Amino acid sequence: GAVVSQHPSWVICKSGTSVKIECRSLDFQATTMFWYRQFPKQSLMLMATSNEGSKATYEQGVEKDKFLINHASLTLSTLTVTSAHPEDSSFYICSAVNPRGMGYGYTFGSGTRLTVV
Amino acid sequence: KQEVTQIPAALSVPEGENLVLNCSFTDSAIYNLQWFRQDPGKGLTSLLLIQSSQREQTSGRLNASLDKSSGRSTLYIAASQPGDSATYLCAAITGGGNKLTFGTGTQLKVEL
């Protein structure tokens, strides 16, 4: 149980285009999901907290107009990288709190490798 | 601001060896501490979670301990195998359970 599915697993796009990444909770409802970014050989950095039915909360330094987050249902959060540039190339991972509660930690998606050319 | 550090950054050991990975955090007011494994180009797989009231957790060949007062957690891997090769990340969970701060990771290679 508590599976988070992320799609696509990898994507290559041209500079200036937008890319949408989906994060789904498969067997539970997630009112809150989290989006992380990971550069090569570095740890995960929280980008934003996605809240179902309301605006996302962005971490300091993350451009909300650049990284659009939509959490329209209890099982789906999307991250759209708008007008992507090569410096946006990175590994993006989403996560959700274990449905049994915060005392049981977090479960993560499989990640999306974005390459902007 | 919580800061999490892991040492060593990289470790290479022969198969069968027992090993210890270290994680230290600056703010001892943690909610939980969670250990993850990450294979190259993949997401995170949860290994063990230690709640703030616990001292250790065990799963198979893995044992994780937590000492909040000293701001440390260790992940012990017994009888290491090549399949254990991966990056191991610890994350301190604070803010009532709502915020994860990841460590810098330990890249483990277990050789035949």
Side-chain angles (χ1 to χ4, degrees):
Chain A
V3 177
V4 173
S5 174
Q6 195 171 335
H7 178 82
S9 56
W10 62 270
V11 58
I12 301 173
C13 71
K14 291 184 177 181
S15 186
T17 61
S18 295
V19 174
K20 180 184 285 187
I21 302 170
E22 293 187 348
C23 181
R24 293 182 184 273
S25 55
L26 295 186
D27 49 2
F28 67 102
Q29 294 181 334
T31 56
T32 303
M33 290 186 177
F34 304 87
W35 287 96
Y36 292 83
R37 182 173 182 174
Q38 185 180 34
F39 290 106
K41 297 191 182 299
Q42 294 188 24
S43 195
L44 280 75
M45 296 297 294
L46 179 65
M47 298 175 64
T49 301
S50 172
N51 304 297
E52 188 268 336
S54 65
K55 292 183 179 180
T57 305
Y58 291 82
E59 294 299 300
Q60 191 173 9
V62 178
E63 299 175 61
K64 60 180 66 176
D65 295 330
K66 174 76 170 175
F67 300 99
L68 299 179
I69 291 173
N70 185 283
H71 196 149
S73 78
L74 289 171
T75 58
L76 175 64
S77 175
T78 61
L79 168 68
T80 301
V81 183
T82 62
S83 187
H85 291 284
E87 57 265 31
D88 298 323
S89 298
S90 189
F91 193 59
Y92 295 87
I93 313 178
C94 65
S95 77
V97 176
N98 189 298
R100 290 186 292 174
M102 289 183 175
Y104 294 87
Y106 290 76
T107 185
F108 282 76
S110 54
T112 297
R113 169 74 58 195
L114 170 63
T115 302
V116 185
V117 298
Chain B
K1 178 185 174 184
Q2 179 73 275
E3 293 182 4
V4 182
T5 306
Q6 290 183 246
I7 54 173
L11 183 63
S12 182
V13 300
E15 182 180 14
E17 199 162 290
N18 301 325
L19 52 101
V20 175
L21 308 182
N22 298 291
C23 171
S24 61
F25 45 94
T26 55
D27 184 354
S28 62
I30 62 171
Y31 191 79
N32 294 323
L33 189 129
Q34 193 165 1
W35 282 92
F36 297 91
R37 167 186 173 139
Q38 185 176 31
D39 293 286
K42 304 293 185 182
L44 275 65
T45 300
S46 180
L47 297 174
L48 288 165
L49 177 134
I50 310 175
Q51 298 182 1
S52 61
S53 58
Q54 297 173 328
R55 299 281 295 183
E56 66 176 342
Q57 283 288 326
T58 298
S59 176
R61 293 182 294 109
L62 305 179
N63 175 276
S65 66
L66 174 64
D67 184 343
K68 283 181 58 178
S69 60
S70 66
R72 294 180 181 178
S73 176
T74 60
L75 178 66
Y76 176 81
I77 302 177
S80 58
Q81 303 171 358
D84 295 331
S85 298
T87 295
Y88 290 80
L89 295 162
C90 68
I93 302 172
T94 54
N98 207 31
K99 185 173 178 67
L100 269 75
T101 303
F102 280 90
T104 45
T106 294
Q107 188 172 3
L108 172 66
K109 183 176 183 180
V110 181
E111 300 174 315
L112 290 169

